[in-house]
Amino acid sequence: MTETLPGRAVDGERFRQALAVHAAGVVVVTAQSEGIPVGLTATSFSSVSLEPPLVSFYVDQSSTTWPWLRQADHFAVNVLASDQAELATRFARKGVDRFAAPTSWRPGPLGVPLLSGVSAQLICAPHSTVDIGDHILVVGLVTETNLDPGGRPLLYHQGRFGRFIPHP
C-alpha cells in the first residue's frame, strides 16, 4: 500500500469542489437490525463484479446508522427515482425517524425494508468491509433484484439533487 507523502494531498475543500462536478446516482441502503428498520443515503454506490454479483457503497466512520447496518444479515440498496429527492434528504438527516410517514415502505425478504417507488432494489448479503480513510467500504453479494424498467434515476451534482435527461 502506498502512503501519501506529507504536503502532497490536496486540501479538503479543494477536493470537495473537484468531486462536486461529478454526478452520482443516489441510493438509500436499508436493513433491519434487532427488529428496527434502519437506513442511510449514499451517493457512493457502485457495481463491483458480475461473477459473483457484488455491489459496494461507502459509509462515514462516524455514521450512527452504520453500527446497526453492520449487524444485519441482509440489506437492500434502493436506487432512488428522479422524484425522490425528499426521501434522499430524509435518509441523510440525523435525529429523525426515517421510516415514519411520509416514507412509504414494506418488509421484503428476511424483513429487509424496501422503499416504495424506487427505480430498482438490490437485496444483498454482507460480503466484506474495509476501513479506508475516514470511511468504510461495504461490499454486498446481490441475492435478489426488483426493477422498474421505466424508472429514471435521481442524481446528485454540485450539492443538489437533479434528474437525468437523455440526449435526443
Side-chain angles (χ1 to χ4, degrees):
M1 183 180 301
T2 307
E3 287 189 36
T4 303
L5 298 175
R8 296 282 312 247
V10 68
D11 72 78
E13 184 55 33
R14 187 74 177 155
F15 185 53
R16 267 193 273 289
Q17 290 170 358
L19 292 179
V21 300
H22 171 73
V26 184
V27 302
V28 170
V29 179
T30 56
Q32 184 181 109
S33 185
E34 297 181 14
I36 299 167
V38 296
L40 55 81
T41 298
T43 57
S44 58
F45 175 71
S46 179
S47 63
V48 174
S49 168
L50 288 175
E51 281 299 323
L54 300 174
V55 295
S56 70
F57 65 94
Y58 287 88
V59 61
D60 194 300
Q61 292 267 8
S62 66
S63 167
T64 57
T65 304
W66 172 240
W68 294 95
L69 274 173
R70 180 186 338 192
Q71 295 176 29
D73 292 336
H74 284 77
F75 62 88
V77 176
N78 297 270
V79 180
L80 298 190
S82 62
D83 62 349
Q84 293 183 306
E86 287 181 29
L87 188 64
T89 301
R90 181 179 192 87
F91 275 82
R93 279 197 196 113
K94 294 181 186 218
V96 40
D97 182 353
R98 298 169 178 166
F99 289 89
T103 301
S104 177
W105 65 281
R106 66 178 174 79
L110 305 168
V112 174
L114 299 177
L115 301 177
S116 301
V118 298
S119 294
Q121 293 159 328
L122 297 92
I123 291 62
C124 303
H127 181 274
S128 54
T129 60
V130 180
D131 289 356
I132 300 178
D134 58 4
H135 279 68
I136 301 159
L137 170 64
V138 181
V139 179
L141 174 70
V142 179
T143 60
E144 188 175 328
T145 62
N146 300 316
L147 304 173
D148 175 3
R152 292 231 171 118
L154 180 64
L155 299 177
Y156 188 72
H157 180 252
Q158 295 187 337
R160 297 176 17 200
F161 294 112
R163 300 170 188 229
F164 172 75
I165 300 171
H167 285 279

